[in-house]
């Protein structure tokens, strides 16, 4: 009797099904007085921890207190996102307008009928939970997280962060991938030994999320509305004049101090932020492939500045006294008085892509794509010299090699000594001068005969550029996400794309496999 489940609680829920759309239902939980545990359909709660049952993922996930989602719908949304970057807003629209059948709407109370409309936050909560449960199942571990928060998004945040930390560096499942397109095996002359040559391409792609306005600050923002993180020194800059070299405080109602020259920049920025061509330029710059409701996309609050501006008018723009906007520079030389208005965004995402197209890892660059940042990324991604690919293509390898040779620390200077560091073929032909002796001598891909077979290049050195076309299209979806969700979502999309890429490599007979991690680490 002491093990009997008692104290049943039943309450109404909405079930978002695949066949019939949203239908009403009821959920019942029961309590065990012996182990002080309340059991639900997907999980049980005890001691402040929510623990999901071991085994197959249930057909309907309990994604919020009064919401269940069909896992087939979650898989459909996942496929739509990874193939064509459909936003959560458009997933909800497609479900409400194309899948939901309205079969029961005339039978429901008006208050219940409203809850059968799938919204953006429900889509994100459902997908994040689905991906987390899938991840735990793939690793054969129990999925659990604290049940203390009132909001599902807040409850899931620690689990999202933990997975991000596990994926960082060599954590991608296909990090140790090789196949016939990205790895060559050769005999050592005069011996029976075999050696393999792995080829990867490193490149950056502009995606960007809101970040702290201090250069290279990696602290998370409390809200995507914020311009600075909570570091006390950085908070002192909240009311600073937008002119970069000015240290005065801005005046009320303005983004600059009272200096007439500084105020002129503020007026110019306000005028052009409202202009139609400015909005058109920004839309073109983010390569938007679909209409996205920026407000709330990614499960974050709308981002507006203290003057109550919209998302677009709060974008970071650089202005000088000539009225130069964004990346354009005057022909006469450097800018003399420069201001930055709006929120700052991360600089780029750095991808390391095997020459077959499988993405081995990624990292967010905050301030720039400098040679030292690329080196740090590669050493974190390949933490032992044994794990380093033998060929690492990059469009700026000449600067990276020069930096390595001038480093006083032998550990950093020699870390890549067994690697070929060529500039990829396209950039070498188009953007590297013949007069650059260092580049021609050490980074010309023709210098390594192992990179050529029968007069053709052995490896595809443009793999990262091709991956960037896919990856960069994520910008409209992730541009208003907070850091934890941003990293988790992009990691999940890479995992899913890699699965598809590997399946295609198998179909084409390219023999994909994974090198045992202990041999590399």
């Amino acid at each position: 009797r002491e093990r009997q489940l008692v104290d049943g609680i039943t309450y109404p829920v909405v079930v978002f099904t695949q066949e019939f759309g949203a239908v009403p239902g009821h959920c019942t939980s029961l309590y065990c007085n012996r182990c002080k545990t309340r059991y639900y359909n997907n999980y049980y709660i005890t001691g402040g921890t929510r623990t999901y049952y071991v085994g197959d993922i249930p057909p309907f996930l309990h994604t919020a207190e009064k919401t269940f989602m069909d896992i087939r719908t979650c898989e459909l949304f996942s496929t739509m996102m990874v193939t064509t970057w459909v936003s959560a807003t458009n997933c909800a629209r497609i479900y409400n307008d194309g899948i939901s059948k309205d079969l029961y709407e005339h039978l429901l109370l008006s208050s219940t009928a409203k809850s059968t409309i799938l919204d953006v936050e429900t889509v994100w909560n459902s997908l994040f939970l689905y991906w987390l449960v899938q991840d735990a199942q793939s690793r054969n571990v129990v999925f659990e997280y604290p049940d203390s928060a009132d909001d599902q998004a807040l409850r899931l945040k620690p689990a999202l962060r933990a997975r991000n930390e596990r994926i960082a560096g060599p954590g991608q499942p296909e990090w140790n991938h090789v196949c016939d397109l990205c790895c060559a095996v050769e005999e050592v002359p005069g011996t029976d030994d075999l050696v393999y040559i792995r080829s990867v391409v490193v490149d950056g792609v502009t995606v960007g999320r809101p970040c702290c306005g201090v250069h290279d600050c990696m602290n998370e923002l409390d809200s995507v509305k914020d311009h600075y993180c909570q570091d006390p020194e950085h908070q002192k800059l909240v009311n600073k004049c937008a002119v970069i070299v000015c240290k005065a405080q801005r005046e009320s109602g303005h983004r600059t101090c009272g200096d007439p020259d500084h105020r002129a920049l503020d007026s110019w920025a306000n005028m052009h932020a409202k202009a139609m061509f400015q909005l058109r330029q920004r839309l073109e710059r983010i390569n938007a492939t679909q209409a996205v409701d920026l407000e709330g996309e990614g499960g974050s609050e709308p981002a507006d500045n203290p003057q109550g501006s919209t998302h677009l008018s709060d974008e970071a723009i650089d202005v000088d006294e000539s009225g130069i906007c964004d990346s354009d520079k005057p022909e006469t030389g450097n800018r003399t008085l420069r201001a930055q208005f709006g929120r700052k965004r991360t600089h780029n995402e750095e991808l390391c892509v095997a020459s077959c197209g499988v993405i081995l890892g990624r990292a967010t660059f905050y301030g720039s794509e400098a040679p030292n940042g690329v080196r740090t990324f590669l050493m974190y991604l390949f933490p032992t010299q044994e794990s380093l690919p033998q060929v690492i293509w990059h469009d700026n390898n000449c600067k990276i090699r020069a930096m390595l040779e001038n480093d006083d620390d032998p550990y950093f200077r020699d870390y890549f000594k067994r690697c070929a560091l060529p500039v990829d073929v396209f950039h070498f032909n188009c953007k590297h001068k013949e007069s650059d002796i260092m580049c021609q001598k050490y980074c010309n891909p023709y210098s390594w005969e192992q990179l050529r077979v029968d007069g053709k290049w052995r490896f595809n050195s443009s793999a990262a550029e091709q991956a960037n076309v896919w990856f960069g299209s994520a910008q409209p979806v992730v541009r208003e996400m907070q850091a934890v969700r941003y990293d988790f979502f992009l990691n999940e999309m890479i995992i899913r794309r890699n699965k598809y890429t590997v399946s295609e490599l198998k179909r084409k007979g390219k023999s994909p496999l994974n090198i045992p991690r202990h041999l590399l680490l």
Side-chain angles (χ1 to χ4, degrees), residues 58-361:
F60 298 98
L61 277 181
H62 197 172
T63 59
E65 181 182 6
K66 296 185 178 181
T67 303
F68 280 79
M69 178 69 74
D70 192 329
I71 62 171
R72 292 173 298 173
T73 305
C74 291
E75 191 60 35
L76 174 64
F77 290 164
S78 302
T79 303
M80 291 161 57
M81 287 182 169
V82 75
T83 52
T84 57
W85 294 109
V86 177
S87 68
T89 299
N90 287 333
C91 284
R93 287 172 176 167
I94 290 169
Y95 185 89
N96 291 327
D97 296 341
I99 296 178
S100 190
K101 301 293 195 302
D102 296 334
L103 296 177
Y104 308 100
E105 186 173 0
H106 66 286
L107 300 175
L108 303 178
L109 298 174
S110 58
S111 59
T112 305
K114 291 180 181 179
S115 67
T116 61
I117 302 300
L118 183 62
D119 59 33
V120 175
E121 189 61 20
T122 299
V123 172
W124 281 122
N125 284 338
S126 300
L127 288 176
F128 287 145
L129 177 61
Y130 177 59
W131 295 334
L132 285 169
V133 172
Q134 275 192 323
D135 175 67
Q137 186 186 54
S138 68
R139 296 183 296 118
N140 196 29
V141 299
V142 175
F143 177 53
E144 59 185 13
Y145 54 86
D147 192 60
S148 54
D150 294 330
D151 180 72
Q152 176 74 341
L154 294 177
R155 283 195 292 267
L156 291 177
K157 191 171 183 178
L160 301 180
R161 189 189 304 278
R163 199 230 190 161
N164 291 344
E165 294 171 353
R166 197 179 73 251
I167 291 290
Q172 275 287 342
E174 293 297 329
W175 168 82
N176 50 343
H177 164 88
V178 291
C179 71
D180 294 343
L181 296 183
C182 65
C183 183
V185 179
E186 292 186 343
E187 291 185 1
V188 178
T191 72
D192 294 330
D193 295 335
L194 298 175
V195 295
Y196 66 89
I197 305 172
R198 296 176 70 198
S199 170
V200 302
V201 189
V202 178
D203 197 13
V205 55
T206 301
V207 177
R209 59 167 171 78
C211 66
C212 178
V214 175
H215 185 75
D216 268 342
C217 176
M218 300 171 63
N219 295 335
E220 293 180 18
L221 300 177
D222 280 1
S223 166
V224 293
K225 297 178 182 180
D226 297 339
H227 288 209
Y228 294 94
C229 68
Q230 294 304 307
D231 184 299
E233 292 301 315
H234 298 179
Q235 279 294 305
K236 294 178 182 179
L237 303 175
V238 169
N239 295 314
K240 173 187 170 299
C241 174
V243 173
I244 294 174
V245 297
C246 180
K247 296 184 179 180
Q249 296 293 294
R250 68 184 185 188
E251 293 188 348
S252 177
H254 299 278
R255 292 175 289 182
T256 63
C257 62
D259 186 297
D261 293 334
H262 298 186
R263 186 61 54 79
L265 298 183
D266 194 5
S267 299
W268 190 96
N270 285 332
M271 177 183 66
H272 283 262
K274 297 175 183 178
M276 185 176 294
F277 83 89
Q278 179 75 12
L279 302 182
R280 187 194 71 239
Q281 286 178 341
R282 288 172 183 170
L283 192 61
E284 291 172 352
R285 188 166 66 248
I286 67 174
N287 294 319
T289 57
Q290 56 181 310
V292 176
D293 287 343
L294 296 179
E295 194 166 302
E297 185 61 52
S300 56
E301 62 272 64
D304 46 21
N305 66 20
Q307 283 73 43
S309 60
T310 65
H311 281 291
L312 286 177
S313 63
D314 198 32
E315 291 299 286
I317 55 173
D318 293 340
V319 184
D320 72 4
E321 68 272 21
S322 302
I324 305 298
C325 178
D326 296 325
S327 60
D328 301 322
K329 292 184 179 180
E331 296 179 358
T332 55
N334 295 328
R335 304 168 184 169
T336 55
L337 189 62
R338 184 164 164 259
Q340 177 176 304
F341 299 97
R343 297 170 298 160
K344 188 172 183 179
R345 292 184 175 273
T346 54
H347 186 271
N348 69 277
E349 296 298 311
E350 198 75 3
L351 300 183
C352 180
V353 186
S355 287
C356 62
V358 171
I359 300 174
L360 307 185

Side-chain angles (χ1 to χ4, degrees), residues 1-8 30-33 35 37 39:
R1 293 178 61 85
E2 64 183 10
R3 293 172 62 90
Q4 285 183 344
L5 296 179
V6 296
D7 191 19
L30 295 164
Y31 186 75
C32 175
N33 282 308
C35 61
T37 302
Y39 293 92

